[in-house]
Amino acid sequence: MSHVETLSIERRRSIDPRIFLLTLGTFALGTDAFVVAGVLPAIAHDVGITEGVAGQLVTAFSLTYGIAAPLTAALTSRWSRNYVLVGSLLLFCLANVLSAIAPSFVMLMFSRILAGIFACTYVPLAYATAGSLAPEGKRGQAIALVVIGITIATALGSPFGTWIGEHFGWRQSFFLVVVLSGLASLGLIMGRLPKAAAAPSVSLRTRLEPMLKPRLVLALVPMFFCNIGVYAVYTYIAPLLHLNLPGVDVSGLLVLFGLGAMFGTIAAGRLVDRFRVNRLLMLFLSVLIVVEVLLALATAGNLMVALLALLIWGFLVSVVFVPQQERLLRLAPQHAQIMLALNNSMYYLGIATGSAVGGLSLRIVDVTQLVWIGGAGVLMALLLLLLSIRIERKTDIVEQ
């Protein structure tokens, strides 16, 4: 075999550099989704609202993402995938320009809704495009690379955006997202993605078909309540840390949460391959309840204990997601794609509801008391999981 042929084969087997641009796009989206929590006090002070009201910016983005995801997928299914992919990322970039220059809270809220719409349009297409660009035998690796963009955003993007917001103003945090998403958009335009035919149209009714089956709905809702519990606390983590550790740079602390999330994502895949997913979910949710309830105490006064608590908390929040996805695939393999899409919607609806519940709770309780509400949300997730497992076992016995 000639040297030229060898180079050609190696090039076909390597990861297409355009996949890294797709990952940059998900990194920008992930940074945008979580950075608001870090700069919440600054936004509230500058706009002249309470931190509880400011937290509804997270609600707006996540609620829009959760509701609009199946709708935008159905509406754009007949359009060119490349146009929708690049167009949604460009519009997401412009939505963040609007967030950065918004003269009022109403305009800022509107910009977060727009960002949620364009984000939920981009992400599934980024996964599909990565798979089509990958060489044979590396599709899973390519898709995982795009997925990890969001995880890295939790570990690095959100803390860095928070640091920028603390030192240069919260509007600059949104401009960071503008730069990241703008670079990814321009790179994808210049990279000339291969033409892709429009996917077969799937009606909204077909996408929501599993929601008509009570057993599958019950399997989906634990993720919803888990995220209510987590984000009732995480959305207001900046004021909690400012109260418990005055003078400490919150952005640095959030890096530990993000690193825990990265470790959790990496560990989850290996654990799912070795242990039963139901047992993993029961174990992680049980420990998460304890960690959430003790979080206010663990972050009070002692910096090292706070760092450890945030690392463990981030790990537990992240490690639950993969076993939940695997469980849904086993419960309804015939609805695999739709179930995973609905699980993603439940994920973001949980974030939206959690941030809303936390914000409303701050009207009557201190920020340190949010951990009890968070623990109650995760406890509800665990109880619903146990009920779902019990029904699943009874159904299996009847079918046998």
Side-chain angles (χ1 to χ4, degrees):
M1 184 180 297
S2 69
H3 179 66
V4 174
E5 289 175 330
T6 302
L7 287 176
S8 178
I9 293 173
E10 289 179 354
R11 194 173 291 114
R12 288 198 298 270
R13 288 177 179 175
S14 63
I15 295 294
D16 192 306
R18 288 172 291 187
I19 295 175
F20 292 101
L21 293 171
L22 297 171
T23 303
L24 180 59
T26 55
F27 178 75
L29 267 61
T31 301
D32 186 52
F34 300 115
V35 76
V36 173
V39 295
L40 204 64
I43 293 176
H45 179 268
D46 189 40
V47 182
I49 54 177
T50 66
E51 290 171 348
V53 174
Q56 304 319 304
L57 295 171
V58 179
T59 302
F61 179 93
S62 303
L63 184 62
T64 302
Y65 193 115
I67 294 175
L71 297 175
T72 57
L75 290 172
T76 61
S77 61
R78 290 185 177 275
W79 301 354
S80 168
R81 187 173 71 192
N82 293 346
Y83 289 146
V84 177
L85 174 78
V86 177
S88 60
L89 190 56
L90 278 172
L91 290 171
F92 171 81
C93 178
L94 293 176
N96 274 276
V97 171
L98 184 58
S99 294
I101 65 174
S104 66
F105 179 71
V106 173
M107 187 61 70
L108 186 56
M109 179 69 78
F110 177 66
S111 71
R112 304 318 297 147
I113 293 172
L114 289 178
I117 292 173
F118 301 131
C120 74
T121 305
Y122 172 81
V123 171
L125 291 176
Y127 296 156
T129 303
S132 66
L133 288 173
E136 193 67 31
K138 288 195 175 183
R139 290 179 182 175
Q141 183 180 338
I143 295 172
L145 189 61
V146 178
V147 173
I148 208 169
I150 297 176
T151 306
I152 296 174
T154 309
L156 300 176
S158 177
F160 182 56
T162 300
W163 181 85
I164 288 177
E166 288 180 335
H167 292 82
F168 303 101
W170 61 269
R171 296 181 186 276
Q172 306 309 314
S173 299
F174 288 116
F175 275 124
L176 170 65
V177 177
V178 170
V179 171
L180 293 172
S181 54
L183 288 174
S185 302
L186 291 176
L188 290 171
I189 292 171
M190 296 174 64
R192 297 184 179 180
L193 293 169
K195 290 185 178 180
S201 180
V202 180
S203 68
L204 184 61
R205 179 184 177 87
T206 302
R207 290 181 181 276
L208 299 180
E209 185 179 341
M211 298 297 286
L212 303 177
K213 300 179 180 180
R215 185 169 70 100
L216 298 184
V217 173
L218 186 59
L220 285 164
V221 292
M223 179 56 67
F224 173 70
F225 280 97
C226 179
N227 270 12
I228 289 178
V230 169
Y231 286 91
V233 181
Y234 182 82
T235 304
Y236 307 96
I237 192 65
L240 174 63
L241 293 174
H242 280 308
L243 179 65
N244 283 348
L245 296 165
V248 174
D249 192 334
V250 172
S251 61
L253 295 177
L254 291 181
V255 170
L256 268 295
F257 178 90
L259 288 175
M262 283 186 63
F263 295 148
T265 301
I266 294 169
R270 297 180 180 180
L271 290 170
V272 164
D273 291 336
R274 296 186 61 183
F275 302 100
R276 294 181 180 179
V277 291
N278 288 347
R279 290 181 179 177
L280 289 175
L281 285 169
M282 288 187 287
L283 173 63
F284 292 138
L285 287 175
S286 299
V287 179
L288 182 56
I289 294 169
V290 177
V291 171
E292 286 244 334
V293 170
L294 296 177
L295 194 62
L297 181 63
T299 57
N302 192 314
L303 180 59
M304 294 307 298
V305 174
L307 293 174
L308 181 61
L310 289 170
L311 183 69
I312 295 172
W313 189 35
F315 178 89
L316 291 170
V317 168
S318 177
V319 80
V320 169
F321 189 73
V322 175
Q324 167 69 359
Q325 297 239 67
E326 181 66 21
R327 181 167 187 262
L328 294 176
L329 288 174
R330 294 180 184 181
L331 282 176
Q334 71 278 21
H335 297 297
Q337 184 176 354
I338 296 171
M339 286 296 286
L340 294 184
L342 289 172
N343 188 53
N344 206 41
S345 291
M346 287 291 176
Y347 181 90
Y348 279 95
L349 289 173
I351 295 176
T353 307
S355 57
V357 168
L360 292 172
S361 300
L362 285 179
R363 295 183 177 183
I364 55 176
V365 302
D366 185 77
V367 68
T368 58
Q369 302 303 309
L370 290 181
V371 296
W372 294 101
I373 298 170
V378 183
L379 175 60
M380 180 61 71
L382 176 60
L383 294 175
L384 290 169
L385 172 68
L386 294 173
L387 178 60
S388 176
I389 291 172
R390 184 175 181 181
I391 292 175
E392 176 190 345
R393 288 173 179 170
K394 285 185 175 181
T395 303
D396 290 341
I397 291 173
V398 171
E399 290 178 351
Q400 290 174 2

